[in-house]
Amino acid sequence: MNPRKYFKVYTKFLHTSLASELEYKTNILIDFITAILSLIGSIFLLSIFFQNTGSIGGWNFEQALIIQGIYTILNGITNTWFNPNLTEIVKHIREGTLDFVLLKPIDSQFFISFKKITPSGILEIILGICLLSYCIRINQINFNLSFLSLCLITIFCSICILYSLWFFISTTTIWFVKTWNATEVLRSFLYIGRFPLNSFSFSLRIFFSVFIPIAFITTIPSEVFLGLSQYWKILLEVMVSIVFLITSRKFWLFALRYYSSASS
């Protein structure tokens, strides 16, 4: 793989997507307002849970806001890259255009995963970063290079795990087109990631750590921000993200063996 080639191709993807979206500038303003209202609504909902108690699962409201900030960033990334791209796999399979993707002189998974972006999701990412910055101040977190490095590592690992989950589901459409509806189920589970994992029962904590790894997606990065996460947890998240990425790649290559070309 030639990194320069793929970087150049991605810049073309980025330029095309932005040019297409900026044709309707009013939509960007509407999306920005919608993102703000959505974040306000989420914070209001979170405050309701803390209305009659000082802490939930050992987390106070100011600390729980960090989870909300990370969730907002990840949801913005999902709306910017994962959703607009991976939903196209169903269309490619139904219309037979996956043939043209496979014939292109670049990796098919790269093309499918990064061809489009939705700029409105970037606004959500910015709001999430602003909320995290506010949380760092109100929680009096000591900001240094080591802290920043660990935070970026865990958030990047969360992105990799989230991408792999989406890609697993989208890949299964090669066999079962309607399984794409499972992404709505995944969204519902990830919605739970806005709350501290310790606020759930032991059995649910096991489920959200093993089957739907919400603990690795939001809780561990939040613990890193608060200086509560142990190094073995961070190492475990790195290992889990690597396993998810490698497995999703192998699963895609495996699935392509069963793809029936539109021309066959």
Side-chain angles (χ1 to χ4, degrees):
M1 180 182 290
N2 186 344
R4 291 184 60 186
K5 171 187 174 182
Y6 281 84
F7 178 77
K8 185 176 181 180
V9 169
Y10 181 70
T11 56
K12 295 293 184 182
F13 288 164
L14 189 63
H15 178 267
T16 303
S17 297
L18 289 176
S20 177
E21 292 291 333
L22 289 176
E23 288 183 8
Y24 308 97
K25 297 180 177 61
T26 306
N27 288 350
I28 297 178
L29 177 61
I30 295 174
D31 289 335
F32 182 65
I33 295 173
T34 302
I36 293 176
L37 293 177
S38 177
L39 180 58
I40 292 174
S42 297
I43 295 175
F44 175 73
L45 178 62
L46 186 64
S47 67
I48 293 176
F49 287 93
F50 286 91
Q51 193 170 15
N52 298 316
T53 181
S55 65
I56 297 177
W59 294 65
N60 59 37
F61 178 70
E62 289 76 14
Q63 293 172 328
L65 278 178
I66 294 178
I67 300 180
Q68 178 61 56
I70 293 175
Y71 174 86
T72 302
I73 292 174
L74 295 177
N75 195 56
I77 290 172
T78 298
N79 292 331
T80 303
W81 284 281
F82 304 161
N83 190 43
N85 285 294
L86 300 184
T87 53
E88 290 289 303
I89 293 183
V90 178
K91 181 180 177 182
H92 284 313
I93 293 172
R94 282 177 175 174
E95 299 179 0
T97 53
L98 185 59
D99 294 10
F100 301 108
V101 174
L102 297 175
L103 290 173
K104 294 183 183 297
I106 60 172
D107 184 78
S108 58
Q109 184 174 348
F110 174 85
F111 183 89
I112 286 178
S113 300
F114 299 106
K115 185 177 184 294
K116 295 182 178 179
I117 70 162
T118 303
S120 58
I122 298 176
L123 301 175
E124 200 169 359
I125 296 172
I126 294 172
L127 289 174
I129 293 173
C130 292
L131 179 57
L132 276 183
S133 301
Y134 173 72
C135 290
I136 290 174
R137 185 171 64 86
I138 63 174
N139 286 285
Q140 298 180 343
I141 297 173
N142 183 25
F143 192 88
N144 53 52
L145 183 60
S146 176
F147 165 80
L148 179 62
S149 299
L150 288 177
C151 290
L152 291 177
I153 288 173
T154 52
I155 290 178
F156 179 75
C157 289
S158 298
I159 295 171
C160 292
I161 294 172
L162 189 59
Y163 164 78
S164 299
L165 287 173
W166 272 78
F167 197 74
F168 270 125
I169 294 175
S170 61
T171 301
T172 59
T173 58
I174 287 181
W175 293 283
F176 315 104
V177 174
K178 289 187 177 181
T179 57
W180 180 250
N181 295 329
T183 55
E184 297 304 319
V185 178
L186 177 61
R187 278 185 176 274
S188 300
F189 278 124
L190 293 175
Y191 189 79
I192 299 172
R194 302 186 309 161
F195 305 99
L197 190 68
N198 292 337
S199 62
F200 301 103
S201 64
F202 177 76
S203 57
L204 285 177
R205 290 202 299 269
I206 295 297
F207 178 79
F208 291 131
S209 297
V210 178
F211 299 101
I212 306 293
I214 291 176
F216 297 102
I217 294 174
T218 56
T219 300
I220 291 180
S222 301
E223 290 178 346
V224 170
F225 268 87
L226 293 169
L228 302 175
S229 184
Q230 299 165 312
Y231 283 107
W232 70 267
K233 287 185 178 181
I234 299 174
L235 181 60
L236 181 60
E237 181 173 14
V238 173
M239 293 174 62
V240 168
S241 65
I242 292 173
V243 169
F244 266 73
L245 280 176
I246 293 175
T247 306
S248 65
R249 174 64 176 178
K250 290 185 177 297
F251 186 60
W252 170 249
L253 297 177
F254 171 77
L256 288 180
R257 300 177 189 174
Y258 294 87
Y259 170 66
S260 297
S261 172
S263 58
S264 62

